[in-house]
């Protein structure tokens, strides 16, 4: 089980990583601070092109409001990735956004499996795992 | 006693004189229609001499197409000759020596000379009168056309207040047809009851004393439709005089729609003003109230830091730093929001020498300029009218952005120029920095929108939002044009005012 967090806020990433590690439900937790870095991670390019193999994430938590490439723009690029770089990935939007339009847009996006508000709670992670990864629990 | 010969002679002399001096043209023909006599005025009218006329058929003086019919009528006439006007209401035409055809009026007389029947024609050239009539008819036609197609209702009343003129547009806006309202009193028809006495009194006063307060100016009053509906009109009353008759003409326009539009517009404007006040208030109060709990957090974090300075493990220090950073950032965001909402709150328009403003800004930025070894090219800038603090902030934000988003390892080169346009100044601040991808050219002006993570470039994302608000306060716009990797060109405009001058 590999989880990827995409969020520009470092303390948020720290807390999320800590939470998942404490729950012990993932063998690898990757944190990136921008959509661009996430794409590099998924495609093994840029700062992740050092030849080492990086575990492909099973679950991605994506922040909407990020500087430069935001969550939505990331999804546009993500959709264009070759299938072997995105197959079977569960994408959950994780946001502080109180904007109902965002939630509606998330529901309409086929790449997005869930829409959750920050801060991330253990119950939410459990719920997602039970739904999408019953074999892990 | 004169004898009969003498009398005859005198009569002949008298008639001869009449004939010679008559201002009317006289022609005498015999039964065959041959001219036997013509007076000098006839010679003048037709252009022939007496000699040329005598013995010629009268048809010499008739236009070609009418000759035959004239001959026929002539024969008829001599069957039962009597004095009468000729033509019986038809238009008659004659022809002179030059071939000119002209309208005439003719009276016919008749006498016997022995056994010969003689006809006398008294001919008047009516060209001038016909022309005048045609002009009059055409002018009446013009008047009618104007009246019918006027967008204004045109209503005239006589000095008794009775309606004499009522055009189609008046029918349309008041609901009365011309035939049913002509002759009725204005005050009993289209003037609402409450104004009737006033109208009557005003009319009376004007007629007796020429005193008035409504004539010859645009006034707005309430009118009454036939169906009882009152509606606003705008009108001008003009006193007129025609052949000693005084009357008054009113040009009236239904302004119901305009009034409603004005009302709606005022409501919108008021609404918008209220919304803006609320929004300003909201941002102000919200950011003010957000500061409060923030101070508490910061205060207690400071306390924690101090108290557990020595005992804290690595993790605790890290957590505390996160809290400190986050609350610092929050404080900056709230402060920015507060500044944004206050921007241009108490603004006084004054002349601003942009050269001076930029110099001040550059001097404030001395450290950053020296550190980055920036080169600044400064064009001659105008004196504008604007809001001093805000203008300074605008230049400050744009220039510090150009310094901040420079390419690593390359000294920034910044050029500041301004060009006059028809009704505004257009400023340009160009740099050789990292540039901005086209897809972000609009987003960068939205409050708290950033293109870089905090680790790459510091900031809250308020700067360009401020700039946008400031240019809008100056009735201007701001936009960017950029080549990523090569540099950006920020443009903004400031509306020119009469006090501006190129310095």
């Amino acid at each position: 089980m590999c989880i990827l967090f995409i969020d520009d806020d470092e303390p948020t990433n720290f807390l999320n990583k800590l939470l998942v590690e404490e729950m012990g439900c993932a063998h690898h937790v990757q944190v990136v601070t921008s959509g661009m870095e996430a794409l590099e991670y998924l495609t093994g390019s840029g700062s992740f092109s050092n030849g080492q193999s990086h575990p492909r994430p099973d679950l991605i938590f994506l922040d909407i409001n990020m500087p430069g490439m935001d969550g939505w723009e990331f999804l546009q690029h993500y959709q264009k990735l070759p299938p072997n770089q995105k197959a079977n990935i569960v994408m959950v939007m994780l946001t502080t956004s109180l904007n109902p339009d965002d939630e509606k847009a998330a529901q309409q996006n086929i790449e997005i499996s869930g829409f959750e508000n920050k801060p991330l709670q253990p119950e939410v992670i459990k719920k997602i795992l039970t739904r999408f990864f019953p074999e892990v629990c | 006693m004169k004898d009969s010969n003498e009398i005859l002679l005198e009569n002949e002399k008298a008639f001869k004189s009449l004939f010679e001096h008559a201002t009317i043209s006289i022609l005498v023909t015999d039964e065959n229609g041959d001219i036997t006599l013509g007076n000098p005025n006839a010679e003048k009218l037709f252009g022939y001499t007496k000699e040329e006329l005598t013995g010629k058929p009268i048809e010499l003086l008739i236009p070609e197409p009418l000759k035959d019919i004239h001959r026929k009528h002539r024969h008829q006439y001599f069957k039962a000759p009597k004095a009468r006007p000729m033509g019986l209401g038809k238009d008659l035409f004659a022809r002179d020596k030059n071939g000119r055809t002209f309208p005439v009026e003719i009276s016919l007389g008749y006498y016997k000379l022995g056994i010969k029947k003689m006809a006398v024609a008294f001919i008047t050239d009516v060209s001038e009168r016909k022309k005048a009539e045609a002009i009059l008819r055409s002018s009446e036609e013009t008047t009618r056309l104007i009246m019918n197609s006027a967008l204004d209702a045109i209503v005239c009343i006589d000095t008794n207040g009775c309606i004499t003129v009522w055009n189609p547009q008046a029918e349309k806006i008041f609901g009365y047809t011309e035939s049913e309202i002509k002759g009725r009193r204005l005050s009993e028809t289209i003037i609402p009851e409450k104004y009737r006495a006033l109208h009557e009194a005003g009319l009376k006063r004007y007629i007796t004393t020429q005193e008035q307060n409504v004539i010859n100016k645009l006034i707005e009053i309430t009118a009454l439709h036939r169906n009882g509906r009152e509606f606003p009109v705008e009108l001008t009353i003009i006193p007129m005089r025609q052949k000693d008759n005084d009357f008054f003409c009113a040009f009236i326009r239904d302004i119901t729609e305009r009034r409603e539009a004005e009302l709606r517009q005022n409501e919108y404007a008021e609404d918008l003003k209220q919304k803006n006040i609320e929004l300003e208030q909201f941002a102000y109060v919200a950011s003010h109230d957000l500061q409060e709990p923030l101070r508490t957090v910061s205060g207690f974090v400071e306390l924690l830091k101090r108290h557990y300075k020595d005992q804290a493990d690595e993790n605790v220090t890290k957590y505390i730093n996160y809290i400190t950073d986050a609350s610092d950032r929050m404080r900056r965001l709230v402060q920015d929001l507060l500044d944004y909402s206050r921007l241009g709150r108490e603004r006084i328009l004054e002349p601003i020498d942009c050269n001076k403003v930029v110099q001040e800004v550059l001097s404030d930025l001395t450290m950053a300029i020296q550190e980055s070894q920036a080169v600044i090219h400064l064009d001659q800038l105008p004196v504008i009218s604007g809001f001093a603090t805000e203008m300074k902030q605008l230049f400050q934000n744009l220039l510090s952005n150009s310094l901040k988003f420079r390419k690593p390892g390359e000294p920034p080169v910044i050029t500041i120029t301004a060009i006059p346009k028809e009704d505004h100044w257009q400023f340009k601040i160009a740099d050789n920095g990292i540039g901005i991808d086209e897809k972000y050219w609009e987003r960068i002006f939205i409050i708290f929108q950033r293109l870089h993570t905090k680790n790459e470039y510091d900031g809250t994302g308020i700067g360009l939002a401020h700039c946008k608000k400031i240019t809008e306060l100056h009735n201007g716009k701001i936009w960017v044009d950029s080549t990523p990797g090569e540099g950006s060109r920020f443009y903004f405009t400031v509306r020119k005012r009469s006090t501006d001058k190129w310095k």
Side-chain angles (χ1 to χ4, degrees), chain A residues 8-11 14 18 33-34 65-70 73 77, chain B residues 315 318-319 322 326 439-440 443 448-455:
Chain A
D8 63 302
D9 189 51
E10 207 196 314
F14 178 85
L18 197 65
T33 55
S34 73
N65 191 8
M66 290 185 285
M69 185 190 292
D70 64 7
E73 201 188 324
H77 291 284
Chain B
N315 273 345
K318 192 172 187 175
Y319 301 164
Y322 275 146
K439 62 187 169 212
Y440 302 128
R443 216 174 98 189
F448 297 146
Q449 288 288 336
R450 293 166 39 77
L451 298 186
H452 306 277
T453 60
K454 292 174 283 262
N455 298 332

Side-chain angles (χ1 to χ4, degrees), chain A residues 6-117:
Chain A
I6 311 174
D7 197 314
D8 63 302
D9 189 51
E10 207 196 314
T12 302
N13 285 331
F14 178 85
L15 283 174
N16 287 343
K17 191 171 183 221
L18 197 65
L19 179 67
V20 173
E21 279 169 357
E22 278 176 357
M23 286 175 74
C25 56
H27 67 266
H28 185 82
V29 181
Q30 181 69 41
V31 165
V32 293
T33 55
S34 73
M36 188 50 80
E37 204 186 339
L39 287 172
E40 287 172 358
Y41 181 80
L42 291 172
T43 56
S45 59
S47 47
F48 296 98
S49 60
N50 49 9
Q52 287 177 24
S53 81
H54 299 286
R56 209 158 55 81
D58 303 290
L59 175 60
I60 296 178
F61 286 101
L62 172 67
D63 182 28
I64 293 181
N65 191 8
M66 290 185 285
M69 185 190 292
D70 64 7
W72 301 114
E73 201 188 324
F74 166 78
L75 283 169
Q76 284 172 13
H77 291 284
Y78 178 78
Q79 272 164 345
K80 290 184 202 137
L81 290 181
N84 65 329
Q85 287 175 342
K86 60 171 184 169
N88 296 325
I89 295 179
V90 172
M91 178 99 61
V92 174
M93 275 209 139
L94 190 59
T95 177
T96 358
S97 171
L98 304 173
N99 188 347
D101 290 345
D102 278 342
E103 188 161 2
K104 210 179 278 170
Q107 279 165 3
Q108 282 163 3
N109 193 312
I110 51 155
E111 304 286 356
I112 298 173
S113 310
F115 187 90
E116 301 294 344
N117 281 320

Side-chain angles (χ1 to χ4, degrees), chain B residues 125-298:
Chain B
D125 178 357
V126 293
S127 311
E128 291 306 315
R129 203 181 75 204
K130 289 278 177 194
K131 219 183 281 172
E133 277 172 10
I135 290 169
L136 186 66
R137 254 203 314 280
S138 126
S139 121
E140 274 170 359
E141 175 74 0
T142 309
T143 310
R144 202 178 55 77
L145 271 173
I146 294 172
M147 295 281 286
N148 287 356
S149 49
L151 288 177
D152 286 352
I154 301 176
V155 175
C156 302
I157 56 167
D158 59 21
T159 45
N160 296 318
C162 293
I163 294 164
T164 55
V165 170
W166 189 259
N167 77 339
Q169 190 60 19
E171 293 191 347
K172 208 167 137 194
I173 76 169
F174 294 108
Y176 293 96
T177 64
E178 183 184 12
S179 57
E180 69 185 340
I181 203 165
K182 251 182 156 174
R184 292 181 62 183
R185 298 183 68 75
L186 188 77
S187 62
E188 284 162 9
T189 49
I190 61 167
I191 294 181
E193 213 167 330
K194 53 183 175 273
Y195 301 123
R196 284 179 186 174
L198 211 64
H199 162 79
E200 293 282 0
L203 183 64
K204 211 183 233 167
R205 191 177 62 233
Y206 179 73
I207 288 163
T208 50
T209 66
Q210 303 287 304
E211 243 179 74
Q212 54 88 15
N213 45 18
V214 295
I215 301 276
N216 281 330
K217 53 186 158 193
L218 197 63
I219 50 177
E220 284 184 17
I221 55 165
T222 307
L224 182 63
H225 189 273
R226 187 187 177 166
N227 65 14
R229 174 178 57 90
E230 290 188 6
F231 62 100
V233 293
E234 169 184 273
L235 61 87
T236 311
I237 302 172
I238 297 169
M240 297 192 181
R241 166 171 286 236
Q242 198 174 36
K243 290 186 204 124
D244 288 343
N245 275 327
D246 280 319
F247 64 103
F248 304 91
C249 251
F251 300 87
I252 310 166
R253 198 168 294 174
D254 181 351
I255 55 168
T256 310
E257 278 175 29
R258 199 177 75 198
R259 271 285 172 78
E260 280 166 4
E262 278 168 8
L263 220 64
R264 264 200 308 277
Q265 203 178 350
N266 286 345
E267 276 170 17
Y268 288 147
E270 195 50 45
D271 210 34
L272 203 62
K273 210 167 124 192
Q274 201 55 41
K275 287 255 159 64
N276 267 331
I277 293 172
E278 276 171 26
L279 208 62
E280 241 173 58
Q281 205 73 16
F282 173 79
Y284 187 73
V285 170
S287 34
H288 223 254
D289 289 356
L290 289 175
Q291 299 276 29
E292 198 63 42
L294 205 51
R295 266 199 297 277
T296 311
V297 173
S298 301

Side-chain angles (χ1 to χ4, degrees), chain B residues 236-407:
Chain B
T236 311
I237 302 172
I238 297 169
M240 297 192 181
R241 166 171 286 236
Q242 198 174 36
K243 290 186 204 124
D244 288 343
N245 275 327
D246 280 319
F247 64 103
F248 304 91
C249 251
F251 300 87
I252 310 166
R253 198 168 294 174
D254 181 351
I255 55 168
T256 310
E257 278 175 29
R258 199 177 75 198
R259 271 285 172 78
E260 280 166 4
E262 278 168 8
L263 220 64
R264 264 200 308 277
Q265 203 178 350
N266 286 345
E267 276 170 17
Y268 288 147
E270 195 50 45
D271 210 34
L272 203 62
K273 210 167 124 192
Q274 201 55 41
K275 287 255 159 64
N276 267 331
I277 293 172
E278 276 171 26
L279 208 62
E280 241 173 58
Q281 205 73 16
F282 173 79
Y284 187 73
V285 170
S287 34
H288 223 254
D289 289 356
L290 289 175
Q291 299 276 29
E292 198 63 42
L294 205 51
R295 266 199 297 277
T296 311
V297 173
S298 301
F300 279 94
V301 169
E302 280 307 310
L303 211 60
L304 276 178
K305 260 190 193 168
R306 254 189 304 162
H307 274 227
Y308 300 98
K309 200 166 64 186
D310 304 324
Q311 324 163 23
D313 66 13
E314 204 181 309
N315 273 345
V316 171
T317 311
K318 192 172 187 175
Y319 301 164
I320 286 179
N321 283 342
Y322 275 146
I323 299 173
T324 313
D325 287 351
S327 44
D328 277 354
R329 186 164 178 78
M330 177 80 175
R331 188 168 39 241
R332 279 167 64 194
L333 285 168
V334 168
Q335 189 56 47
D336 285 350
L337 198 62
L338 199 62
D339 291 345
Y340 185 78
S341 72
R342 275 175 177 164
L343 205 63
R345 232 180 194 212
E346 279 158 34
R347 45 186 198 260
I348 303 154
L349 214 55
E350 55 185 315
I352 295 166
D353 183 346
C354 293
N355 302 290
K356 248 167 85 184
V357 173
V358 171
Q359 286 305 341
E360 276 173 36
V361 171
L362 291 177
S363 123
D364 290 348
L365 293 171
T366 305
M367 282 282 280
I369 290 170
Q370 281 175 355
E371 265 170 33
S372 60
Q373 295 177 298
V375 180
I376 317 273
H377 296 294
L378 183 57
D379 204 2
Q380 182 75 272
L381 301 178
V383 176
I384 58 159
S385 37
F387 312 116
T389 320
E390 281 78 8
M391 277 313 287
K392 186 177 171 188
Q393 198 181 346
L394 177 57
F395 280 110
Q396 166 101 34
N397 287 350
L398 290 175
L399 289 171
S400 50
N401 274 355
S402 285
L403 292 170
K404 177 168 150 189
F405 297 104
R406 63 178 182 263
K407 265 181 288 187

